[in-house]
Amino acid sequence: MRPRQPRRHSAAAIVASLLALAAGQALVALPAAAAPHAPATATTVASAQDQVARSLARSLSDSTWRTRVQQAALAADEVPITALADRSGSGLTSELVRADRQIAAAKGLDTDIGSLLRLRLGDDGMRDALADGQAPWVAPAASDDNATTVVAYDSRGRAHALDARHTPDRPVYVVDIDSSKALAAGLGVLNRQLHHHGLASDAPASASASKTHADAAGKQGARAAAGGFWTTRIAAVELSDDEEPWVKGDAELYTLVTGFGQDGKVRVDPVDMPYLDNDGTVYRPGQILVNWGNYKYNLADAVMMEEDGSTNYRDLANAIATVLLTVTDQGTYIPLVNAILDAIPDDWWTDDPDYVDSWYTLARNDNGTRHGARGNGWMTVEPYFVEEF
């Protein structure tokens, strides 16, 4: 959902950039195999959503089922369409369950995640027309921010091209996935894979810090203050307006906080940011971004990304580990933003995952507004001491 960083780097350029970060650094063992490319994930997810959209559109020729879907869509922002179909006996259940499984597998998620498919109106302005009984079309969620057209299906299965930048007059249901659910599960997978590769990450950080984190930080070294630990907290954050297609839903953002851990190894801490739904809106989450008890140096980097539906989190972790495992502690802070961006293969930068912005050299005593390196967002941060009970 964000403008993406141009990708130019060859494998040789990636190595050269890392060597420039820390001249003479020793290389360590890489993961056994390079990460598979993301287009397979994007294609599988898009294909599953498209097939569901076409089948659902045809099923709406049944007036009873059409009414149930209409009532559900008017009553909630998102409808768990698989569960609705199962309760209604529409005959779509087996196809929807199969599509759910295909999407979860393509994204590298655990099989017990359950249904990810959701149905929503493409825009709130369509509600009146839908309530008045105008026949809806069904479209799969767009996978490209730069798309100029959206394909929607009518109840006869015919495809219609709609303008992606202008909301249509008629109601359109959008088949999408539950990005909040997918991201929460994906960060768990990402975290476990990073652990597997030796990038000692804690559980994804959240808006609240627990005594467990305080105890762990205290055991890691004397840098943790007695009776608690210092953090950097987000007082306010805003992202720029990107004028993306109406067919896309709210953003699902997360940040990869990187630096050198107390053991001198690169660490990556995923931070879920579920409140960052819309661009051009100032959010005041009071969320902890960095736990300084985890880091050796008084500097860390942050790379903000967006889940756009097609991320394979196992592949993402493998890709990041492939490069970050080559970075060793040289006794000084080394910026890791470029290393993370270079770790992601060039052909992933279509719509998956989206690079939002990055912040270099965050320090424990930072107190004020920091603009992202790309100029796509800003954060107001402040030191915050978390006390033990």
Side-chain angles (χ1 to χ4, degrees):
M1 295 175 71
R2 316 286 168 200
R4 287 164 293 282
Q5 178 80 350
R7 305 299 296 162
R8 305 171 303 277
H9 307 295
S10 64
I14 292 175
V15 174
S17 67
L18 290 172
L19 292 176
L21 289 175
Q25 62 187 355
L27 298 183
V28 299
L30 298 179
H37 287 178
T41 299
T43 300
T44 299
V45 173
S47 176
Q49 288 178 308
D50 184 81
Q51 184 57 49
V52 168
R54 188 191 298 264
S55 297
L56 179 60
R58 286 174 172 163
S59 74
L60 295 178
S61 60
D62 181 299
S63 60
T64 301
W65 169 239
R66 184 173 64 248
T67 299
R68 291 195 180 191
V69 175
Q70 178 198 58
Q71 291 172 342
L74 291 174
D77 292 335
E78 290 188 342
V79 178
I81 190 63
T82 304
L84 182 64
D86 188 38
R87 293 194 303 269
S88 303
S90 68
L92 283 174
T93 302
S94 60
E95 182 175 347
L96 294 175
V97 169
R98 184 168 58 253
D100 272 321
R101 289 173 178 169
Q102 289 174 343
I103 292 170
K107 292 176 68 59
L109 301 177
D110 295 336
T111 55
D112 60 356
I113 188 174
S115 176
L116 288 171
L117 286 169
R118 295 293 184 270
L119 185 75
R120 56 178 170 79
L121 271 175
D123 187 85
D124 282 342
M126 301 174 178
R127 297 178 68 85
D128 288 344
L130 180 65
D132 289 342
Q134 187 172 358
W137 290 348
V138 185
S143 60
D144 185 358
D145 293 346
N146 299 316
T148 58
T149 60
V150 173
V151 175
Y153 301 101
D154 62 24
S155 59
R156 297 175 62 181
R158 296 174 300 188
H160 303 267
L162 301 175
D163 190 321
R165 297 293 171 180
H166 296 89
T167 305
D169 294 332
R170 70 178 315 114
V172 178
Y173 293 139
V174 176
V175 174
D176 206 346
I177 68 171
D178 186 339
S179 294
S180 295
K181 184 178 181 179
L183 178 56
L187 290 184
V189 171
L190 178 64
N191 190 57
R192 291 195 297 273
Q193 290 298 108
L194 292 173
H195 264 293
H196 174 72
H197 290 303
L199 300 175
S201 168
D202 285 336
S206 65
S208 62
S210 67
K211 184 177 183 295
T212 300
H213 283 88
D215 292 340
K219 292 175 182 178
Q220 287 179 352
R223 290 180 183 270
F229 57 94
W230 280 101
T231 69
T232 290
R233 184 168 69 172
I234 303 173
V237 58
E238 181 184 19
L239 300 178
S240 301
D241 184 12
D242 56 18
E243 299 181 355
E244 63 183 9
W246 56 267
V247 75
K248 303 200 77 169
D250 288 339
E252 294 296 338
L253 279 295
Y254 62 101
T255 295
L256 303 177
V257 179
T258 66
F260 286 92
Q262 296 286 353
D263 58 2
K265 298 178 181 178
V266 174
R267 65 179 294 125
V268 180
D269 292 302
V271 180
D272 192 0
M273 309 178 86
Y275 51 86
L276 264 176
D277 289 335
N278 299 302
D279 299 336
T281 301
V282 177
Y283 295 91
R284 304 184 186 278
Q287 181 182 27
I288 290 174
L289 182 66
V290 186
N291 175 352
W292 291 105
N294 292 332
Y295 292 90
K296 177 178 180 180
Y297 300 111
N298 182 31
L299 289 174
D301 295 337
V303 180
M304 188 180 290
M305 310 288 286
E306 180 182 358
E307 151 68 50
D308 240 352
S310 304
T311 308
N312 184 306
Y313 290 92
R314 295 182 194 277
D315 292 353
L316 178 60
N318 290 339
I320 291 173
T322 297
V323 170
L324 289 189
L325 284 175
T326 68
V327 183
T328 58
D329 184 9
Q330 300 297 303
T332 185
Y333 164 78
I334 299 172
L336 296 173
V337 169
N338 292 346
I340 284 195
L341 297 182
D342 285 341
I344 301 173
D346 288 357
D347 50 8
W348 282 39
W349 295 82
T350 302
D351 196 56
D352 173 30
D354 275 354
Y355 166 42
V356 178
D357 215 327
S358 50
W359 286 261
Y360 292 78
T361 62
L362 292 169
R364 196 187 81 175
N365 60 350
D366 281 351
N367 192 353
T369 299
R370 292 284 306 271
H371 290 270
R374 297 187 64 204
N376 197 39
W378 57 265
M379 291 190 294
T380 298
V381 296
E382 60 188 8
Y384 182 73
F385 186 74
V386 179
E387 297 181 351
E388 291 184 354
F389 285 116

